[in-house]
Amino acid sequence: MDFTEIYNQTASLVHFSPGTHFLLTAVEDRLIIRRSDSFQIARTWLVDTSRSPTSAALANAAGSSSLRPKTDENAWITHAGWSCDSEYVFGACAKTGVVSVFKLRDESWSARIEAGSEGLVRAEWAPDGRTILCFSEWGLRVTMWSLVTGTATHVQYPIHPDRGYAFRQDARYFVLAERHKSKDTLGVYDAQEAYRLVRHFPLPTGSLASVSLSPTGNYLAVWEGPLEYKLYVVSLAGNVLGAFSPDPDPGFGIRIVSWHPSGKFLAVAGSDDKADSTSCCHRAVLIGRTQVHILESLTWGPIATFDLPTRIPAGVNVWREPSGWLEATHGRGFLSYERIQAPFTLPTTASQVRNKPARPAAGARSGGSNAPSAAARSAAGTTQLAFNTSGNLLLVRSASAPTAVLLYDFPMPSSDPSASRSTSASREPLVPRLRSVLLHAQPVTAARWNPEPARAGRLAVACGSQSVYLWSDEWVTEGGAGEEEDTEVAECVGVPAQKFETRDLRWAPDGKGMILLDQKTFCCAFEVEEEGQDFASGAMG
């Protein structure tokens, strides 16, 4: 792969434009647009993050000065993004409650949105690329500001500014979880009719944790907070289509939900701990059983439930990051993972704690309780569920095995009409099969599937080290009798920089490159394809 130079960034605000021709970066109180082919600066704007008169008056009344130096982090950009057609960009400062909008083709054009006394916690583009959503503090309201009409539409009492709303894929409807009279409700708004209210109905949840709209836009999954493992599927008309709660109750709530790209399946996981604990080295270690449930769209019942294994069985590809490879390669070039023969015991946080020497905590009482601590409980459950774009692979990460990435083959039901008419007894169960495990020296901080459908079998992983890890099932080799066989490749790619730790990563929309993010800097990596080379058999490095 080819790497760019290291550039500064603030709050990880680095985004490719939807067409991948430009790159937006926020650096303190400045927006910078670079060309993605040469990385030359095409546009730059200094964002006016000074408070609005109302906000300044409230700040003075609270005893804080509205005149802040430009180096003050309170005046830095906290949100930034592209419109869907790459015509506009915005930069928002949540601390001062202002949003500045700029036009790429007209450097002199600008607009400013002032949140006012209700404050600002989040800003983002609506799918139409001409409306900006602004969520106020304390869940007071969400405001849709139109750049076309210059008007604003307000909706009161959104529950969550980050996970309590969704747009349908065709951008027609906007669904918002709201809290009215101490009850969870859902509002459905027509985004093409100035966010006119279409439906408003109560939700079966008592303390809603999040919502997730299916890719087809027909179903909405809503689930309870961390104390109850309950999920409901409702239609946009307000009908409860199904409910799911495992038996027995795990004791903790749902942690993550992921829709299959077809919308026919729903993967659900949480902290399925059975309250089993072991005391070792003066510590209480929670050993929970993490389960993933696969629900289907006919009855919204589970068709498959599988535990994340602690011992990898035979027949599974186990890849391990080579020890000391960064020092050996000086962070340059790429190196294949090591293959480990299964069966293999997966390293877990419990085993790591048991292997540590005894060190009683300062101030700990002798003869104290062996009950698991809050920190121990948090190191359990599933932290990521992600289908690739084609839906034939499912990525699972667990907090109990933070250095591992588990990849499951997800079987698709037969599309043959004659097969669909067969009896349920003759059908094979749809159970995901563990295909590959990627093991790393450090905990995984990010894992992303390639967004390009033609490259659905490519995965990038970050571990907070001077590298990026790539896995692909797109390679084709010749087997016996001259037949082609599908195989997979896993490689460690060093980032050629003296001080850089890849904490997060984002693919370009076309899937040909990615953004690698450190705490305050970033670089981009692009694959190198030889002329006339078949992608399926090309090198990843």
Side-chain angles (χ1 to χ4, degrees):
M1 303 191 79
D2 279 346
F3 292 86
T4 66
E5 297 180 11
I6 305 296
Y7 301 97
N8 293 327
Q9 53 87 7
T10 299
S12 297
L13 296 176
V14 186
H15 304 285
F16 278 107
S17 63
T20 325
H21 299 297
F22 298 97
L23 191 72
L24 169 66
T25 310
V27 180
E28 297 183 357
D29 57 353
R30 188 179 297 272
L31 289 178
I32 300 173
I33 305 292
R34 298 179 184 273
R35 296 184 59 89
S36 61
D37 54 356
S38 62
F39 275 76
Q40 293 182 346
I41 296 178
R43 290 282 189 274
T44 179
W45 295 280
L46 184 64
V47 177
D48 181 10
T49 56
S50 59
R51 294 181 182 271
S52 64
T54 303
S55 179
L58 292 174
N60 289 334
S64 61
S65 174
S66 61
L67 299 176
R68 300 179 182 272
K70 285 295 183 179
T71 56
D72 189 353
E73 293 187 10
N74 287 324
W76 289 0
I77 299 170
T78 57
H79 300 80
W82 290 94
S83 63
C84 61
D85 56 1
S86 305
E87 286 291 325
Y88 296 89
V89 297
F90 83 83
C93 179
K95 300 294 180 64
T96 58
V98 297
V99 181
S100 297
V101 189
F102 304 96
K103 193 173 184 178
L104 185 62
R105 300 182 185 275
D106 186 356
E107 197 170 3
S108 62
W109 186 95
S110 65
R112 177 180 167 95
I113 298 171
E114 297 180 354
S117 59
E118 72 268 19
L120 179 71
V121 295
R122 183 180 179 87
E124 69 172 65
W125 284 105
D128 65 353
R130 297 298 181 268
T131 306
I132 296 179
L133 276 63
C134 296
F135 288 84
S136 66
E137 293 180 328
W138 316 113
L140 294 178
R141 65 183 184 182
V142 55
T143 306
M144 284 69 75
W145 296 88
S146 173
L147 300 181
V148 177
T149 63
T151 59
T153 303
H154 307 281
V155 178
Q156 289 186 313
Y157 311 129
I159 296 180
H160 298 296
D162 55 346
R163 60 186 187 277
Y165 66 95
F167 281 91
R168 206 169 73 171
Q169 200 167 48
D170 61 1
R172 177 65 187 270
Y173 294 108
F174 172 63
V175 297
L176 178 69
E178 305 164 16
R179 188 82 172 172
H180 293 279
K181 297 181 180 179
S182 301
K183 294 183 179 180
D184 294 342
T185 60
L186 190 82
V188 181
Y189 301 87
D190 192 336
Q192 296 182 2
E193 296 291 337
Y195 291 87
R196 175 180 59 87
L197 178 62
V198 177
R199 288 186 181 88
H200 198 267
F201 52 86
L203 290 173
T205 55
S207 178
L208 184 138
S210 186
V211 303
S212 181
L213 190 62
S214 69
T216 59
N218 299 330
Y219 313 114
L220 184 74
V222 298
W223 57 96
E224 293 283 5
L227 300 181
E228 291 187 85
Y229 203 122
K230 290 184 179 180
L231 178 138
Y232 303 91
V233 179
V234 300
S235 68
L236 297 189
N239 300 319
V240 179
L241 304 177
F244 171 70
S245 180
D247 187 24
D249 190 336
F252 294 98
I254 294 172
R255 190 164 185 171
I256 193 166
V257 168
S258 180
W259 283 98
H260 189 270
S262 67
K264 296 180 179 180
F265 305 99
L266 186 64
V268 183
S271 302
D272 296 8
D273 303 306
K274 305 305 179 184
D276 297 329
S277 62
T278 178
S279 179
C280 182
C281 302
H282 303 286
R283 302 186 185 188
V285 182
L286 186 67
I287 303 178
R289 184 178 65 183
T290 303
Q291 289 184 322
V292 176
H293 308 274
I294 306 297
L295 313 183
E296 49 84 22
S297 59
L298 293 178
T299 64
W300 298 112
I303 58 171
T305 298
F306 58 93
D307 297 342
L308 300 189
T310 57
R311 183 170 176 79
I312 307 303
V316 177
N317 299 317
V318 181
W319 301 88
R320 184 171 62 187
E321 177 184 357
S323 176
W325 73 274
L326 274 172
E327 293 77 8
T329 60
H330 302 286
R332 298 179 181 274
F334 58 92
L335 190 68
S336 177
Y337 280 64
E338 295 176 347
R339 291 290 295 266
I340 301 177
Q341 190 70 27
F344 176 80
T345 301
L346 197 66
T348 62
T349 52
S351 63
Q352 293 171 3
V353 170
R354 286 194 295 268
N355 291 333
K356 288 182 180 180
R359 179 185 291 179
R365 302 178 187 177
S366 61
S369 172
N370 288 333
S373 64
R377 288 194 302 269
S378 65
T382 305
T383 56
Q384 185 178 3
L385 283 176
F387 288 99
N388 65 344
T389 54
S390 64
N392 66 326
L393 290 169
L394 174 62
L395 180 150
V396 183
R397 286 171 51 209
S398 173
S400 60
T403 62
V405 175
L406 284 71
L407 304 178
Y408 286 81
D409 279 324
F410 192 86
M412 293 296 293
S414 175
S415 59
D416 184 5
S418 60
S420 62
R421 291 193 297 267
S422 62
T423 61
S424 58
S426 63
R427 296 176 186 171
E428 295 183 0
L430 191 151
V431 179
R433 181 187 64 85
L434 183 61
R435 169 177 176 165
S436 303
V437 177
L438 307 179
L439 300 176
H440 306 88
Q442 297 180 207
V444 176
T445 56
R448 317 282 186 203
W449 289 110
N450 194 306
E452 173 60 34
R455 305 179 177 187
R458 291 171 66 84
L459 176 71
V461 178
C463 295
S465 59
Q466 189 186 328
S467 58
V468 61
Y469 304 90
L470 302 175
W471 179 90
S472 174
D473 68 349
E474 297 176 339
W475 282 49
V476 177
T477 60
E478 290 189 2
E483 296 182 355
E484 292 185 347
E485 296 181 354
D486 294 334
T487 184
E488 61 184 53
V489 172
E491 293 179 332
C492 313
V493 183
V495 178
Q498 292 184 349
K499 293 182 178 181
F500 190 87
E501 295 179 350
T502 308
R503 302 170 184 266
D504 197 0
L505 55 88
R506 297 169 189 154
W507 285 97
D510 62 2
K512 295 182 179 180
M514 67 184 76
I515 300 168
L516 308 181
L517 294 161
D518 199 346
Q519 186 172 5
K520 295 182 179 180
T521 58
F522 81 96
C523 69
C524 290
F526 296 91
E527 65 180 25
V528 179
E529 294 185 44
E530 297 179 5
E531 186 175 354
Q533 182 182 37
D534 182 14
F535 179 77
S537 59
M540 293 171 58

